[in-house]
Amino acid sequence: MRRRRLIGLLVALGVVAGAGAFAFVASAGVHGSAMATASAYLAAWQRSDVTSMERLVADPPADFTDRHLAFADQFKVTALTLRPGSLKVTGEETAELPFSGTRELTGMGPWTFAGTLRLAVKGGEWKVLWGPETLHPALRNGGALSLEETDVSGVELVTRSGATFPHDSAAEPYLDRLKERIGETNTGWAIKATARGAEARTLVVFQPPPARKVHVTLSRPVQAAAARALDGVGEHAAIVAVKASTGEILAVADRLGEVGAFERLFPPGSTFKVVTAAGLLEAGMTASSAITCPSSYAGIDNSGDQTATTLAGAFAVSCNTTFVQQALAKLGAARLEQAAKEWGFDGRKLPTGVGGQCGRLKAEADQSVLALNSIGQGTVEASPLCMAALAAAVDSGVWRSPRFVTAKAAKKLDGAPPAAVPLDQRVVQDLRTMMRQVVSEGTAKDAGLGADVAGKTGTAEVPGGSPHAWFVGYQGDLAFCVFVKNGGSGARVAIPIAARFLGAL
């Protein structure tokens, strides 16, 4: 008796172990296994053996073979590869096997899909519970699939060196807009899915080889560095990089949505002090001119314990009251507006090839507005592209309209660019000194930027929200702008992103 109990226990343990090993629970007298049936079905499907498939299906529809042949004919399927997942037990006599597949379509290419094979015990053996969704999930509940001709771009956009763009380059909205503006099309094919009571949605588009390649100014390594520098940044942010000596845009990594880094305007905060400083230098001041940095002036307060005795020192620590005090005394609204126009702040459109605009400042006689304008608040607004162009102008000594394509293509798409503006070289030299001092001993000190980097931080106050974080600068012939919408402090938020960007070059 004890021997029979022991044998019974061993048999029970063996059944449980077998169930775990094969991922299903077998009923007494059931022939085969769920996994064996699923594997046989997928293997037969992969070799287009519809007869063998049908034998493995419980209650196949009368048109089972015709459906499969019609599907293959409709979508021009020449080969099918199926990859099983892990079997999932859903009941004592039911199971599911997720799988993925790739269909090769004649003249189009691969079409990937994923589905689930449902199985159950029927008549003492495991069978496939077939439905139209087994062919493709979009066919569930009366859904339909169609193959339709569609217009696709006739050009392939490549980087300045001719390299293709990787996925998730963060420049996709700009590339898509350029293709749309070029307007050359080819005929491609689109597979669309239509569910009951819903509009058709496109699953995949196949397009023929493009008629021609179009080079943009973006550099693949610079673009990759910019895109990866924004990884993990929770806020909406952008990086724009420009070749200072030519105005060519080397990177635009944009998480602002659409083409926000080129077209959306934001208060630039203290990065605008580059323009105010340029106006003061043109008015006769120098980087070493003596100034004061009062704790409060004309209704503007400083944060922290800022001290400075020279204009360069005030620029380095971003002393608001110095710039308000000097702008009120030496510039006035008209001269600040004139200085801003020299640096692109006149509302001008930027003929990049994909659109864009620079900055603007509305001159007002009201001294309180002038005070705010002098520190990049008030009526001052700028796009990240505009601020990258500003940094490039300090770097090269010439303000140039930035562009995304060749000069000829940009002119054709957007019209003639504004003329390049040679800047006062004494002013530019002092600005370079001041921007280097920001990194060596000011708000960007000890931020890991490198001794050859010059820049300016900005924290722009926003009504009802956190400040915008900015950092503009240059290294060698590369000028850049880092912007984080409602990110907070420019020094704490934008500079680390800039450091990651430059460190990856």
Side-chain angles (χ1 to χ4, degrees):
M1 184 67 137
R2 297 177 72 184
R3 178 181 176 83
R4 279 199 293 269
R5 287 179 180 171
L6 179 59
I7 291 172
L9 177 60
L10 291 175
V11 170
L13 289 173
V15 169
V16 173
F22 294 99
F24 73 94
V25 179
S27 299
V30 174
H31 176 69
S33 70
M35 192 66 205
T37 297
S39 297
Y41 185 87
L42 294 180
W45 190 8
Q46 191 165 264
R47 64 176 184 269
S48 300
D49 184 356
V50 184
T51 301
S52 295
M53 293 165 62
E54 189 170 9
R55 284 199 294 264
L56 294 168
V57 174
D59 302 319
D63 61 350
F64 182 85
T65 297
D66 291 340
R67 287 196 187 201
H68 284 76
L69 295 178
F71 189 99
D73 182 63
Q74 178 187 5
F75 296 102
K76 307 176 184 179
V77 180
T78 58
L80 172 65
T81 303
L82 297 167
R83 296 169 292 277
S86 299
L87 191 75
K88 179 182 179 183
V89 175
T90 57
E92 288 191 1
E93 295 187 343
T94 58
E96 292 181 350
L97 179 71
F99 67 91
S100 59
T102 302
R103 293 180 168 101
E104 289 293 333
L105 310 186
T106 302
M108 288 176 273
W111 175 25
T112 60
F113 69 105
T116 300
L117 206 61
R118 297 185 301 116
L119 303 111
V121 175
K122 297 289 183 180
E125 59 183 331
W126 283 95
K127 292 283 189 177
V128 173
L129 302 180
W130 190 87
E133 67 273 11
T134 310
L135 270 170
H136 193 281
L139 299 177
R140 185 184 305 275
N141 298 327
L145 286 168
S146 61
L147 180 63
E148 304 175 13
E149 285 189 358
T150 186
D151 288 337
V152 296
S153 177
V155 300
E156 178 187 3
L157 301 182
V158 294
T159 66
R160 62 193 296 110
S161 65
T164 58
F165 285 93
H167 294 296
D168 193 25
S169 71
E172 287 85 0
Y174 298 84
L175 302 176
D176 291 343
R177 175 174 284 193
L178 181 57
K179 285 182 179 180
E180 182 181 337
R181 298 189 78 180
I182 291 173
E184 297 176 16
T185 60
N186 278 341
T187 299
W189 293 91
I191 295 178
K192 297 185 177 182
T194 306
R196 284 181 176 175
E199 292 185 2
R201 59 188 178 91
T202 300
L203 299 181
V204 62
V205 175
F206 302 97
Q207 62 184 68
R212 67 186 180 99
K213 291 184 178 181
V214 173
H215 289 252
V216 300
T217 60
L218 300 184
S219 159
R220 185 180 173 111
V222 180
Q223 181 65 39
R228 300 292 68 83
L230 292 185
D231 287 346
V233 178
E235 297 84 357
H236 296 296
I239 297 176
V240 180
V242 175
K243 186 175 175 67
S245 58
T246 64
E248 295 168 289
I249 298 165
L250 300 179
V252 52
D254 190 345
R255 310 277 189 214
L256 297 172
E258 299 297 330
V259 289
F262 282 17
E263 293 191 337
R264 294 180 63 186
L265 302 181
F266 306 91
S270 289
T271 56
F272 186 75
K273 287 174 184 169
V274 173
V275 175
T276 305
L280 294 173
L281 294 169
E282 289 175 353
M285 296 186 74
T286 67
S288 58
S289 290
I291 52 84
T292 60
C293 177
S295 60
S296 179
Y297 191 86
I300 303 297
D301 295 328
N302 275 325
S303 58
D305 299 323
Q306 295 168 320
T307 59
T309 58
T310 65
L311 184 63
F315 188 88
V317 299
S318 207
C319 180
N320 285 335
T321 53
T322 296
F323 284 85
V324 170
Q325 184 181 50
Q326 297 303 319
L328 291 176
K330 296 182 172 63
L331 294 181
R335 294 188 70 172
L336 181 61
E337 181 185 29
Q338 182 57 41
K341 285 182 177 180
E342 290 182 11
W343 293 82
F345 285 77
D346 57 1
R348 71 183 63 176
K349 299 294 183 182
L350 296 176
T352 64
V354 291
Q357 59 180 324
C358 196
R360 60 193 179 199
L361 176 152
K362 184 179 179 182
E364 301 225 4
D366 190 314
Q367 295 292 283
S368 63
V369 176
L370 173 58
L372 290 170
N373 284 351
S374 70
I375 56 174
Q377 300 279 176
T379 70
V380 185
E381 293 181 306
S383 66
L385 173 63
C386 184
M387 298 309 291
L390 178 143
V394 177
D395 190 8
S396 69
V398 178
W399 187 93
R400 293 180 175 87
S401 183
R403 54 185 171 84
F404 191 78
V405 291
T406 65
K408 182 178 179 181
K411 183 176 181 179
K412 180 179 180 181
L413 291 165
D414 277 338
V421 180
L423 302 168
D424 185 308
Q425 292 306 295
R426 182 191 68 81
V427 169
V428 168
Q429 190 57 52
D430 271 1
L431 287 174
R432 291 171 185 159
T433 298
M434 294 160 70
M435 290 178 72
R436 285 194 296 269
Q437 196 166 329
V438 170
V439 176
S440 63
E441 57 187 76
T443 54
K445 181 182 179 183
D446 299 327
L449 291 171
D452 57 343
V453 177
K456 181 70 188 81
T457 55
T459 304
E461 299 296 329
V462 181
S466 298
H468 300 324
W470 295 84
F471 184 66
V472 302
Y474 60 88
Q475 181 182 53
D477 197 27
L478 176 75
F480 60 88
C481 169
V482 175
F483 172 73
V484 184
K485 183 175 181 286
N486 301 123
S489 163
R492 289 194 299 269
V493 176
I495 288 180
I497 297 172
R500 288 199 298 273
F501 166 56
L502 296 174
L505 297 177

